[in-house]
Amino acid sequence: MASHRRPKQQSRARVTVLTTAAAAAVVLSANAANAAPSEKLSKDQVKAKVDDLYSKAEQATEKYNGAQEKQQKLQKEISTIQDNVARGQQDLNKLRDGLGSLATSQYRSGGIDPSVQLFLSSNPDDFLDKASTLDQLSAQQVDALKKIQDKQRELAQERAEAAEKLKDLSSTRAQLEQNKKDVQGKLADAQKLLNSLTAKEKQQLAAEQQRADRSSSERVNLGNSTPASGRAAAAFAAAQSQIGKPYVYGATGTASYDCSGLTSWAYAQAGVSIPRTSQEQATIGTRIDSASDLQVGDLVFFYGDIHHVGLYAGNGQVLHAPHTGAVVRYEAMADMPFQFGVRV
């Protein structure tokens, strides 16, 4: 007689898992079918995003410039202090040798004064503060001890100052490195966006940039504005000689420039030293709030955080180093949010 075994049933748990997985697969499949493919950015959208990244990169560039300038300043200050400490130590050694000579002379003439003997093996502060000890010393010895005490205090103060500046230098170097990474990161993001364009779109953007840069070699109507001063005229003429040079972050010429690198270089050619960064340049000279009061050679500042600067060229034009991918050129001030000017 044939055996009729009852088929083995799947456990409820296994059935539940399989059913849930199948339902999930159906939902995912439906969502995938209904989801619109990610839209490719148009050339104009890419350009807008790239321009924004370039602006943010310039903000980071000015912070980088500031940290770099601070680092150089600290290094000079530390070097000066260390030189002073070295010379001060030599002076202190001479003072001690001089006191030792006094002690030797005193010994030969009848023995070393106990207070001097104590000093030679201890700290002068221990007995200079005691009037009874001072009474036992000769005027010459008192003067020598006071000089040694003053020199010791001076050296201690200078060493403490050097230590603080070294700590500040370490912090500044870390900030400099971070600012550099910020600039490079934003420029890399901009390049990725540009790389997403087709060859034709890249050619179109390049042509637009060339048209914008071409104004640097064509005659620009600068009107009849007069220079703010002889030095302003000289600075402006120097900047004009750099038209066509590329923008490179952190550059101060003469192969390339960033915005404040161009303005500081131009004024240096006129014999005027101005700060390195746009934010610092905004704090010098006479502030000019109205664009109608500007004269050729005045510094002009843009954006709320003052991260961009150029030279007023007359007739509403600015001569500046715009951003990565562009060259030193003229541009209408109306293209950027003007804040104020400064007459150096």
Side-chain angles (χ1 to χ4, degrees):
M1 185 175 178
S3 173
H4 297 281
R5 291 187 178 180
R6 190 174 181 180
K8 187 177 180 181
Q9 293 185 340
Q10 293 177 324
S11 69
R12 287 181 177 276
R14 180 174 174 76
V15 172
T16 300
V17 170
L18 291 173
T19 303
T20 302
V26 171
V27 171
L28 289 173
S29 177
N31 287 343
N34 294 329
S38 58
E39 296 181 1
K40 183 180 181 298
L41 295 176
S42 69
K43 174 178 67 67
D44 291 339
Q45 288 174 320
V46 167
K47 184 180 185 305
K49 286 181 175 292
V50 167
D51 287 345
D52 181 59
L53 284 168
Y54 282 160
S55 179
K56 290 176 179 176
E58 190 174 34
Q59 286 177 295
T61 293
E62 287 305 291
K63 291 179 181 178
Y64 168 85
N65 291 339
Q68 189 175 53
E69 186 177 39
K70 183 178 180 181
Q71 174 182 257
Q72 293 170 349
K73 181 181 178 182
L74 283 170
Q75 286 173 329
K76 289 180 181 178
E77 290 175 350
I78 290 169
S79 178
T80 298
I81 293 172
Q82 288 175 336
D83 287 344
N84 290 340
V85 168
R87 285 194 296 269
Q89 187 62 53
Q90 290 177 347
D91 293 341
L92 179 59
N93 293 339
K94 289 179 182 178
L95 288 171
R96 284 174 171 164
D97 290 344
L99 189 62
S101 297
L102 283 175
T104 300
S105 175
Q106 190 176 49
Y107 174 77
R108 288 172 178 169
S109 63
I112 302 178
D113 189 296
S115 60
V116 177
Q117 188 175 26
L118 175 65
F119 164 72
L120 292 175
S121 61
S122 183
N123 190 317
D125 292 347
D126 293 338
F127 47 86
L128 274 179
D129 295 333
K130 300 175 183 178
S132 60
T133 302
L134 290 176
D135 292 340
Q136 301 174 31
L137 300 175
S138 69
Q140 190 176 10
Q141 289 168 336
V142 169
D143 183 60
L145 287 172
K146 286 183 176 179
K147 285 182 179 178
I148 289 174
Q149 184 185 48
D150 290 343
K151 181 58 68 174
Q152 285 176 323
R153 287 173 177 167
E154 180 185 330
L155 287 175
Q157 184 177 354
E158 289 182 333
R159 288 190 176 106
E161 185 180 357
E164 285 300 312
K165 288 188 181 294
L166 283 169
K167 286 171 59 178
D168 196 3
L169 178 60
S170 177
S171 175
T172 300
R173 281 174 172 163
Q175 186 62 53
L176 180 65
E177 189 61 29
Q178 183 58 54
N179 294 147
K180 184 177 181 180
K181 288 180 180 178
D182 289 345
V183 176
Q184 292 174 333
K186 288 174 174 58
L187 294 180
D189 289 342
Q191 190 58 53
K192 286 179 184 178
L193 283 169
L194 292 173
N195 289 342
S196 70
L197 297 174
T198 64
K200 182 178 179 181
E201 289 171 331
K202 290 178 183 177
Q203 289 176 349
Q204 290 172 338
L205 270 186
E208 290 175 10
Q209 184 64 61
Q210 287 175 355
R211 282 194 295 273
D213 289 340
R214 194 173 298 131
S215 63
S216 64
S217 58
E218 294 177 349
R219 184 175 181 80
V220 175
N221 181 11
L222 301 179
N224 297 316
S225 299
T226 57
S229 68
R231 288 187 172 180
F236 182 70
Q240 283 181 308
S241 72
Q242 302 304 294
I243 287 175
K245 298 288 182 70
Y247 177 102
V248 174
Y249 83 90
T252 57
T254 57
S256 56
Y257 299 89
D258 61 21
C259 69
S260 57
L262 174 66
T263 51
S264 58
W265 178 87
Y267 264 95
Q269 308 318 299
V272 181
S273 176
I274 64 174
R276 170 66 177 91
T277 67
S278 57
Q279 288 89 350
E280 289 179 316
Q281 290 177 13
T283 65
I284 63 172
T286 303
R287 177 165 167 152
I288 303 167
D289 291 308
S290 175
S292 62
D293 294 331
L294 292 171
Q295 292 182 305
V296 173
D298 286 340
L299 297 173
V300 282
F301 300 89
F302 301 89
Y303 302 98
D305 61 352
I306 318 298
H307 73 259
H308 189 71
V309 63
L311 292 163
Y312 184 63
N315 198 29
Q317 300 286 315
V318 59
L319 177 57
H320 66 152
H323 54 72
T324 299
V327 300
V328 174
R329 69 190 188 197
Y330 297 110
E331 193 166 343
M333 285 176 55
D335 291 348
M336 298 174 287
F338 170 72
Q339 302 299 306
F340 57 86
V342 163
R343 186 157 298 151
V344 179

